[in-house]
Amino acid sequence: MQDQEFMKEAVRLAHKNVLENNGGPFGSVVVHKGRIIGKGYNQVTSLNDPTAHAEVQAIRQACKFLNSYQLTDCVIYTSCEPCPMCIGAIYWARPKAVYYACTKEDAANIGFDDHFIYNELSLPIEQRRLEMNQLTIEQDQLPFQAWESSKSRIEY
């Protein structure tokens, strides 16, 4: 398959998702060595899960298929430019490339506007709309110390 065919599959998943009323108009596939190993479509409303975006779902399926937490030799095709959450997940998965069809501006034009999140992330924590406060407790560093001294940890 060529890039165009993989993108057609991502868009097909997005369109089918809307027609079946499973969630938003977003679809994604993960490709490894010319083969689709992960498919995802937006299931936020059908699963009541705000993290069930197409890219996250496709990444989960591909990682399970590869039995790996990284997608180093993979390419992600998605029907729309990824949101900030999905961008974070994509960076953690470490694919070699991402291709998208529609832009975040296209998504904003139909009510999926992520600009407020981009704006919030650029602000200092104390100026964000969502209140965030550090709350330290005795031994709050214990998990980090255990990780640092662990001989069996797997770096990622």
Side-chain angles (χ1 to χ4, degrees):
M1 286 181 124
Q2 299 293 334
D3 290 333
Q4 297 285 328
E5 295 303 313
F6 294 129
M7 186 59 75
K8 283 180 185 177
E9 179 61 10
V11 171
R12 186 193 72 75
L13 287 168
H15 186 227
K16 181 178 183 239
N17 198 50
V18 173
L19 297 178
E20 293 179 356
N21 201 31
N22 286 318
F26 306 100
S28 183
V29 297
V30 177
V31 175
H32 180 256
K33 297 181 180 178
R35 182 172 156 219
I36 294 174
I37 61 163
K39 292 183 179 186
Y41 49 89
N42 184 286
Q43 294 178 281
V44 169
T45 56
S46 59
L47 295 179
N48 292 319
D49 180 351
T51 69
H53 288 204
E55 298 89 340
V56 172
Q57 300 292 71
I59 288 168
R60 288 173 178 156
Q61 194 177 89
C63 286
K64 188 172 187 170
F65 177 85
L66 292 174
N67 195 31
S68 175
Y69 54 89
Q70 293 188 339
L71 302 174
T72 310
D73 294 324
C74 297
V75 177
I76 297 174
Y77 297 82
T78 185
S79 63
C80 187
E81 186 174 356
C83 76
M85 177 186 70
C86 292
I87 289 171
I90 289 167
Y91 269 95
W92 280 115
R94 294 177 175 88
K96 60 183 177 182
V98 176
Y99 293 93
Y100 59 90
C102 297
T103 66
K104 61 186 175 189
E105 289 76 21
D106 294 329
N109 288 336
I110 61 164
F112 293 92
D113 193 352
D114 297 329
H115 284 91
F116 79 96
I117 299 174
Y118 288 103
N119 292 338
E120 286 286 305
L121 293 174
S122 68
L123 295 172
I125 288 176
E126 63 275 358
Q127 292 179 16
R128 294 179 187 168
R129 285 189 267 173
L130 178 60
E131 184 178 331
M132 293 186 155
N133 302 295
Q134 183 179 20
L135 178 61
T136 59
I137 59 169
E138 190 175 316
Q139 297 190 356
D140 56 12
Q141 293 292 315
L142 192 60
F144 287 176
Q145 292 163 352
W147 174 261
E148 192 172 48
S149 64
S150 174
K151 304 258 188 277
S152 60
R153 71 179 182 212
I154 299 172
E155 299 284 344
Y156 61 97

